[in-house]
Amino acid sequence: MSTIANTPKPPYYAVIFTNLRTDVDEGYGEMADRMVELASEQPGFLGMETVRETLGITVSYWQDLESIRAWKQNVDHREAQRLGHEQWYADFKTRVCLVERDYGMLEG
Amino acid sequence: MSTIANTPKPPYYAVIFTNLRTDVDEGYGEMADRMVELASEQPGFLGMETVRETLGITVSYWQDLESIRAWKQNVDHREAQRLGHEQWYADFKTRVCLVERDYGMLEG
């Protein structure tokens, strides 16, 4: 998580999840860890990057829209989303994006 | 920066800049602040979200590819990129993405 995701050549998809937490911690850390693990087992998962200060940004990378859709509908993930809405997140925005181009340190 | 960017209805563009720093701090904080200010004055700039732990993620939002291209070529920004390559970043990845869809807390 605390490294740069090793994604394939574009095109692929990114889901940018930007969020602000409530002060309710109950069960949050455990669920977040579980969701990272579960996401990484899904078909089409390509990688994830996540950072939090006050603001949290988690970017997950996916092969196509179908794999994003399937992950959003995953039963355990739906339960996590429900608890997120109710307890853990004061606000969030999810952005589904087509990565058209990327470059790293050596290609900049 | 420590809030969720208030972007318009898609489509628009996102530039995801994921990075790892070196231990060289010289001039970094000042330059980072200056680049945020300068970016926000550019035509087509829509917002920015930035968070760092060990990993840093900065997402900037733009109206179109042309505004991203112009910002990348900005003279002061080019100098910052050069110093970033040489001194401040151990590694980074930049991803240019078309935001196709987004939703927030009330539309999830």
Side-chain angles (χ1 to χ4, degrees):
Chain A
M1 287 314 97
S2 57
T3 58
I4 299 172
N6 186 18
T7 41
K9 237 179 88 149
Y12 54 89
Y13 274 84
V15 178
I16 308 170
F17 177 60
T18 309
N19 61 81
L20 291 165
R21 290 266 284 107
T22 59
D23 51 10
V24 178
D25 270 337
E26 209 179 307
Y28 175 73
E30 191 183 55
M31 182 67 94
D33 291 347
R34 235 182 91 208
M35 285 306 114
V36 168
E37 200 185 320
L38 192 59
S40 70
E41 293 165 359
Q42 302 308 303
F45 176 86
L46 300 177
M48 191 181 281
E49 295 160 346
T50 186
V51 188
R52 172 175 308 281
E53 290 176 289
T54 302
L55 192 69
I57 303 179
T58 297
V59 189
S60 58
Y61 299 101
W62 300 88
Q63 200 174 305
D64 49 34
L65 285 175
E66 183 45 40
S67 47
I68 294 171
R69 203 172 296 126
W71 171 233
K72 190 167 194 285
Q73 297 305 326
N74 175 286
V75 171
D76 293 332
H77 186 206
R78 282 181 67 92
E79 175 64 6
Q81 289 171 66
R82 189 184 65 76
L83 290 167
H85 273 82
E86 284 181 18
Q87 301 186 40
W88 294 318
Y89 296 117
D91 199 6
F92 70 78
K93 186 108 182 173
T94 302
R95 295 175 171 99
V96 179
C97 322
L98 175 64
V99 181
E100 297 183 346
R101 197 161 61 83
D102 65 13
Y103 56 91
M105 192 101 185
L106 303 173
E107 313 128 285
Chain B
M1 288 311 98
S2 56
T3 58
I4 298 171
N6 187 17
T7 41
K9 240 181 85 152
Y12 54 91
Y13 274 84
V15 178
I16 308 170
F17 176 62
T18 309
N19 60 82
L20 291 165
R21 292 264 285 106
T22 59
D23 51 10
V24 178
D25 270 337
E26 210 178 307
Y28 174 74
E30 192 183 56
M31 181 67 95
D33 291 348
R34 234 183 91 208
M35 286 305 113
V36 168
E37 200 184 319
L38 191 61
S40 69
E41 293 165 359
Q42 302 308 303
F45 176 86
L46 301 176
M48 192 182 280
E49 295 160 345
T50 187
V51 188
R52 172 175 308 282
E53 291 176 290
T54 302
L55 192 68
I57 302 178
T58 296
V59 189
S60 58
Y61 299 101
W62 301 88
Q63 202 174 301
D64 49 33
L65 285 175
E66 183 45 41
S67 47
I68 294 171
R69 203 172 295 125
W71 170 234
K72 190 168 195 286
Q73 298 305 326
N74 175 287
V75 170
D76 293 331
H77 187 205
R78 282 179 67 93
E79 174 64 5
Q81 289 171 65
R82 190 183 65 76
L83 290 167
H85 272 83
E86 284 180 20
Q87 300 187 42
W88 294 318
Y89 295 117
D91 199 6
F92 71 77
K93 186 106 183 176
T94 301
R95 295 176 173 100
V96 179
C97 321
L98 174 65
V99 181
E100 297 183 346
R101 195 161 62 81
D102 66 13
Y103 55 90
M105 192 99 185
L106 302 174
E107 314 127 285

